[in-house]
């Protein structure tokens, strides 16, 4: 059986919405959708892997089309295959993409590579005719656990949104089976945010837990002022207080915040993750790591990040990736992460679960689709199929 990548296609799609966090609005947000076409034929059709990047970093069509696509297509096909020559080897494809790239300064090439990497893993699992989460578990000699914790991320700022609407939003997440909800902070004054938090805590009234996300907005003084307010509430976590690369701020914050902290969605390499663990004061017994493989060079790199965690005494179970995509759901189910983010009302059709999958007691159960499972989500698959037609 020959296995050859015959084409890589990219289209940049809008995922705009009127929401705002403490740092950006999403009025012009886009993402890249990628199709990796192979010459493997299943049911009379070529196997195609799909990928997209998650919200927050915009589409990367320029980098994908001008650099990374051609490196894969120009590589001698045999150099991209596993030892048996019967399937793609995602790590070898990754190495081909990263030829002639200097280390450091990861910028947004990590998003371009992460998007293609997702499609490569989707194709690889489809060629193996297995769900990606089962393929990953087998590769690591583990048992997959298709039941994955997910939390509902939302609670954004948008025009006219008062605490009643915020409460109604959070109530709707509880009604849909979530046991942890997340809201934005840092886009209003501390006093106003405190009122918003108290309103939500009143609404969820012990039925669920609340996490808060400052999106890297605070300087040290403000981060500590918020910590002193937030530590009076039983929060699930206090996320991304300061600049993602300011490890000293994160470490200083730990002195003032005994509850769980979370960060990492804007760290895009295993080297940056390592610096966070070395210097960020993060505590492996309670804190959470949110590295998002779709933004951070993909699963090939995420595996190196997991190795860094192990070296530093962390468990993969402390990872709950940012992004709300099925790729991270598969990694969670296959490699034992602590769960995954989900945006019940945002960034559609890219985020979410296969049709018919319901959240029950804060968990979803992944069905057994070959690959990542995109074919099980009709509105998403329609966009994907249009790209590979
Ligand atoms: O608002 C955003 O940029 C998304 C985000 O931080 C999150 O989901 O944690
Ligand atoms: Mg966040």
């Amino acid at each position: 059986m020959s296995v050859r990548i015959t084409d890589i296609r990219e289209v940049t799609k809008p995922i705009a919405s009127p929401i705002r966090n403490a740092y950006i609005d999403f009025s012009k947000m886009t993402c890249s959708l990628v199709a990796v076409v192979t010459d493997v034929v299943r049911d009379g059709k070529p196997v195609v892997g799909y990928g997209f990047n998650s919200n927050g970093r915009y589409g990367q069509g320029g980098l994908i089309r001008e650099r990374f696509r051609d490196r894969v297509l120009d590589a001698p096909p045999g150099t991209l295959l596993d030892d048996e020559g019967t399937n793609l080897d995602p790590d070898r494809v990754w190495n081909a993409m990263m030829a002639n790239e200097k280390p450091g300064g990861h910028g947004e090439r990590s998003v371009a590579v992460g998007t293609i990497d997702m499609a490569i893993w989707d194709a690889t699992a489809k060629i193996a005719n297995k769900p990606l989460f089962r393929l990953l578990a087998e590769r690591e000699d583990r048992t997959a656990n298709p039941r994955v914790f997910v939390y509902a991320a939302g609670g954004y700022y948008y025009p006219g949104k008062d605490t009643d609407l915020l409460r109604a939003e959070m109530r709707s997440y509880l009604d849909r089976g979530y046991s942890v909800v997340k809201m934005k902070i840092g886009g209003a004054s501390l006093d106003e945010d405190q009122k918003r938090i108290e309103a939500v805590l009143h609404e969820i009234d012990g039925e669920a837990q609340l996490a808060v996300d400052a999106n890297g907005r605070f300087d040290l003084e403000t981060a500590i002022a918020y910590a002193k307010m937030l530590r009076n509430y039983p929060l699930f976590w206090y996320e991304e207080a300061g600049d993602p690369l300011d490890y000293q701020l994160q470490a200083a914050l730990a002195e003032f915040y005994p509850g769980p902290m979370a960060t990492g969605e804007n760290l895009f390499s295993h080297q940056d993750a390592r610096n966070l663990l070395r210097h960020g004061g993060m505590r492996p017994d309670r804190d959470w790591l949110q590295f998002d493989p779709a933004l951070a060079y993909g699963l090939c790199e995420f595996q190196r990040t997991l190795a860094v965690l192990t070296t530093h005494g962390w468990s993969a179970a402390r990872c709950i990736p940012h992004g709300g995509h099925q790729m991270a759901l598969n990694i969670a189910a296959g490699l034992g992460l602590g769960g995954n983010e989900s945006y019940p009302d945002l960034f559609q059709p890219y985020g979410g679960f296969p049709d018919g999958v319901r959240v029950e007691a804060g968990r979803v159960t992944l069905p057994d689709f070959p690959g990542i499972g995109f074919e099980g989500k009709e509105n998403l698959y329609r966009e994907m199929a249009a790209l590979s037609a």
Side-chain angles (χ1 to χ4, degrees):
M1 181 177 74
S2 121
V3 179
R4 237 186 129 126
I5 296 172
T6 56
D7 201 4
I8 297 180
R9 299 180 197 159
E10 188 275 346
V11 63
T12 302
K13 295 281 194 177
I15 47 167
S17 77
I19 57 172
R20 161 177 87 78
N21 66 31
Y23 222 104
I24 62 166
D25 72 49
F26 288 75
S27 58
K28 299 271 188 322
M29 188 54 63
T30 59
C31 81
S32 279
L33 178 62
V34 161
V36 168
V37 185
T38 74
D39 68 351
V40 178
V41 175
R42 283 283 153 74
D43 304 325
K45 286 188 292 206
V47 170
V48 182
Y50 299 100
F52 52 86
N53 61 275
S54 30
N55 70 81
R57 288 283 161 176
Y58 300 92
Q60 300 293 329
L63 287 178
I64 290 170
R65 286 194 299 266
E66 287 168 19
R67 261 197 353 253
F68 297 109
R69 169 185 186 272
D70 289 353
R71 290 210 186 112
V72 177
L73 295 179
D74 291 347
T79 64
L80 305 178
L81 302 185
D82 61 15
D83 288 345
E84 294 74 41
T86 54
N87 202 339
L88 298 170
D89 181 321
D91 290 300
R92 289 176 181 164
V93 178
W94 196 93
N95 287 339
M97 275 195 280
M98 288 295 284
N100 295 322
E101 294 288 325
K102 280 185 173 182
H106 299 281
E108 295 197 351
R109 74 178 176 197
S110 69
V111 182
V113 172
T115 305
I116 300 174
D117 172 279
M118 188 189 293
I120 295 288
W121 281 97
D122 187 38
T124 303
K126 282 172 178 162
I127 292 168
N129 205 19
K130 290 177 185 158
L132 177 60
F133 69 88
R134 299 213 183 273
L135 181 78
L136 293 178
E138 270 171 32
R139 284 166 56 108
E140 299 289 316
D141 226 357
R142 307 171 44 95
T143 309
N145 180 3
R147 233 168 104 67
V148 179
F149 165 74
V150 288
Y151 72 92
Y156 282 83
Y157 301 96
Y158 63 81
K161 187 167 179 186
D162 58 14
T163 48
D164 284 348
L165 284 174
L166 180 62
R167 285 173 63 150
E169 178 192 346
M170 296 297 157
R171 170 57 51 190
S172 84
Y173 299 148
L174 269 54
D175 291 345
R176 281 177 268 181
Y178 289 93
S179 60
V180 175
V181 297
K182 184 166 95 180
M183 64 182 273
K184 297 297 172 182
I185 59 168
S189 68
L190 187 149
D191 287 349
E192 195 179 321
D193 276 341
Q194 184 167 12
K195 289 197 187 86
R196 292 170 66 247
I197 289 166
E198 287 189 346
V200 170
L201 287 173
H202 191 69
E203 179 65 43
I204 65 181
D205 194 26
E207 288 172 60
Q209 278 186 284
L210 174 65
V212 297
D213 184 359
N215 284 96
R217 176 84 265 180
F218 300 149
D219 59 16
L220 180 60
E221 203 185 334
T222 314
I224 290 172
Y226 266 79
K228 289 179 175 169
M229 180 269 283
L230 295 172
R231 69 191 181 193
N232 298 312
Y233 304 102
L235 297 181
F236 192 72
W237 71 46
Y238 174 14
E239 173 175 336
E240 226 185 12
D243 186 274
L245 292 169
D246 191 342
Y247 306 123
Q248 196 174 325
L249 180 152
Q250 192 71 44
L253 188 62
E255 304 288 318
F256 294 87
Y257 196 74
M261 307 188 297
T263 194
E265 73 178 61
N266 289 302
L267 298 183
F268 291 165
S269 65
H270 78 273
Q271 294 92 343
D272 282 344
R274 187 171 62 200
N275 277 335
L276 176 69
L277 300 189
R278 279 177 179 162
H279 307 297
M282 298 289 282
R283 302 150 301 190
D285 65 335
R286 76 196 82 160
D287 293 331
W288 298 97
L289 304 170
Q290 301 173 296
F291 317 120
D292 177 349
L295 300 180
Y297 290 116
L299 171 54
C300 291
E301 179 73 2
F302 194 79
Q303 290 179 315
R304 290 185 276 274
T305 299
L306 289 179
V308 164
L309 259 60
T310 306
T311 307
H312 287 78
W314 283 73
S315 158
R318 301 311 300 175
C319 290
I320 301 185
H322 165 273
H325 44 78
Q326 290 186 62
M327 179 69 177
L329 265 186
N330 273 269
I331 301 173
L335 299 181
L337 309 187
N340 195 31
E341 182 164 19
S342 138
Y343 307 93
D345 296 329
L346 293 168
F347 311 126
Q348 287 305 318
Y350 299 95
F353 318 117
D355 299 331
V357 170
R358 298 271 167 271
V359 183
E360 287 167 36
R363 284 170 196 273
V364 289
T365 303
L366 272 62
D368 272 54
F369 285 102
I372 293 175
F374 300 134
E375 281 70 8
K377 190 167 190 290
E378 206 240 319
N379 59 359
L380 174 58
Y381 187 61
R382 204 179 318 128
E383 307 263 329
M384 293 174 157
L387 180 59
S388 61

